[in-house]
Amino acid sequence: MIATLAMLLLACANEGPEPVRVVGSSTVFPFAAKTAETYSERTGIRMVVEQTGSGGGHKLFCSGDRSINATTSSRPQKPSEAALCASNGVKPVVEIRLGFDGIVLARSVAAAPMAIDEATLYRALARELPTSDTDCTAMPNPYTTWSQISPDLPNNRIEAYGPPPTSGTRDAFVETAMETGARHYPCLAEVERDTPNLFRARAHELREDGHWIDAGENDNALVQTLINTPTALGVFGFSFLEQNTDKVAAVSIDGIFPSRRTIRSGDYPVVRDLYLYLRGDDETGIAGYALELASDEASGLGGYLEAIGLIPLPEGERDLMRRRILATFEQNEGQAR
């Protein structure tokens, strides 16, 4: 039944003249584009994959524009985005986990090696800090060099380039690294317990005084910036680090360097899931494309996406994603009959 349904989905999709269009995450883009190329070669279905950032992708996908068939994302869809989808008739929305990625801090290979922990990262990059461990009165971040935070760190200006507010990488970075760092202040840990929304606001606000710089969605441009500014840090996905090891080197966090092993095991502290979202009533080739993404050949161990940096899901979870896709579109076929 599964094989028959998959063939039916492909056959129906070939009838449409418009391309299947996927928007979204710059982190997921290499995986989405490689899969689109493979899928198009196999089926003849035209594919268009665009980088808009995760936030931009959800906005377009949930707008009701039926020319947009799916969005990729480097963080889960937010409740506000789900509400926008529902209000514009984009339903059902099917969430497919694709694999794992780590968010890395990196410097030029010309710079001296650097190791930090999440508490230091929060002290360096938060817009405001507590006055003391026990007094959460907010004060503007006073640190301008790393050595002011710890004498073990270099006497370099704090300068970090990272993704803009529309980026899923930024969302995942503040929800993992920055929140964990904020909890090292005992008073902020109490705030999280008593007023979670206030804690999130304090933990998620990055500096706006020139020590954190929004670098856009173009990771290639970010790497060039790090080459030109060797003492600066860059924040981006692990897969992009793997593609540029001749230019940039990772900074260890809590004594652990990012690698496929440490990300898959969860030992590396800044790990996030990668997603595809599609509308379950879509009659184009998006279901077949999603099945290709979730296939063993693409996203399994040794698959062509692992070869370019995707950290695969466990086999059982990947099988669950395939069944989720098939169950949704099998139901649609039954209703159409």
Side-chain angles (χ1 to χ4, degrees):
M1 179 183 294
I2 289 178
T4 301
L5 176 60
M7 291 300 295
L8 178 60
L9 291 168
L10 293 178
C12 291
N14 276 303
E15 297 173 0
E18 296 299 320
V20 175
R21 185 178 173 198
V22 181
V23 298
S25 165
S26 60
T27 299
V28 185
F29 174 79
F31 312 130
K34 176 62 177 176
T35 305
E37 179 184 0
T38 303
Y39 179 64
S40 185
E41 288 174 353
R42 290 177 178 173
T43 65
I45 295 172
R46 289 193 299 136
M47 298 288 305
V48 174
V49 182
E50 303 171 45
Q51 297 185 69
T52 61
S54 295
H58 284 289
K59 183 177 180 179
L60 290 167
F61 175 68
C62 292
S63 69
D65 181 351
R66 294 197 70 92
S67 72
I68 299 169
N69 307 105
T71 188
T72 58
S73 185
S74 56
R75 45 87 172 160
Q77 187 179 67
K78 297 177 180 179
S80 59
E81 293 162 340
L84 179 63
C85 273
S87 68
N88 287 321
V90 182
K91 56 185 181 181
V93 174
V94 184
E95 179 186 270
I96 305 300
R97 291 176 66 222
L98 302 176
F100 305 110
D101 187 33
I103 300 174
V104 303
L105 304 179
R107 305 175 87 195
S108 166
V109 292
M114 186 175 177
I116 60 176
D117 56 34
E118 288 168 302
T120 297
L121 193 63
Y122 182 73
R123 289 185 173 93
L125 299 181
R127 185 169 70 87
E128 296 178 329
L129 295 176
T131 301
S132 70
D133 283 353
T134 56
D135 181 358
C136 262
T137 303
M139 66 175 182
N141 193 321
Y143 299 117
T144 59
T145 67
W146 291 100
S147 59
Q148 289 172 347
I149 300 174
S150 169
D152 295 329
L153 293 172
N155 188 30
N156 299 142
R157 182 178 185 272
I158 295 171
E159 187 173 4
Y161 292 83
T166 55
S167 169
T169 299
R170 177 168 171 148
D171 289 336
F173 174 69
V174 296
E175 288 174 4
T176 52
M178 294 295 284
E179 283 193 10
T180 301
R183 293 185 187 105
H184 283 266
Y185 279 97
C187 67
L188 281 179
E190 292 181 12
V191 169
E192 182 179 24
R193 184 177 62 248
D194 299 335
T195 319
N197 289 340
L198 177 59
F199 170 80
R200 284 174 61 84
R202 292 284 296 272
H204 290 199
E205 290 180 343
L206 295 171
R207 299 178 73 158
E208 299 175 342
D209 56 0
H211 291 280
W212 168 275
I213 303 98
D214 289 343
E217 298 281 2
N218 188 331
D219 288 336
N220 287 302
L222 176 52
V223 167
Q224 189 58 49
T225 297
L226 297 180
I227 293 171
N228 295 336
T229 316
T231 58
L233 286 180
V235 178
F236 45 80
F238 171 76
S239 59
F240 201 74
L241 173 71
E242 279 203 318
Q243 299 168 35
N244 291 277
T245 53
D246 59 327
K247 302 180 183 72
V248 292
V251 171
S252 69
I253 301 178
D254 294 338
I256 301 171
F257 283 95
S259 69
R260 296 188 183 208
R261 180 187 61 79
T262 59
I263 291 170
R264 185 180 293 117
S265 67
D267 292 334
Y268 183 68
V270 193
V271 175
R272 39 79 180 276
D273 293 335
L274 304 178
Y275 298 90
L276 174 75
Y277 290 87
L278 58 152
R279 51 189 308 158
D281 63 350
D282 200 301
E283 296 179 357
T284 68
I286 196 62
Y289 172 75
L291 287 171
E292 175 70 24
L293 262 172
S295 69
D296 292 338
E297 182 179 358
S299 57
L301 288 171
Y304 61 77
L305 297 183
E306 187 182 29
I308 60 173
L310 182 70
I311 310 297
L313 293 173
E315 182 177 351
E317 291 186 46
R318 197 165 55 258
D319 182 63
L320 177 62
M321 295 300 105
R322 289 193 292 266
R323 292 184 177 278
R324 180 178 297 175
I325 297 163
L326 290 166
T328 299
F329 288 90
E330 183 179 43
Q331 180 180 20
N332 291 346
E333 287 295 324
Q335 291 173 349
R337 289 195 295 269

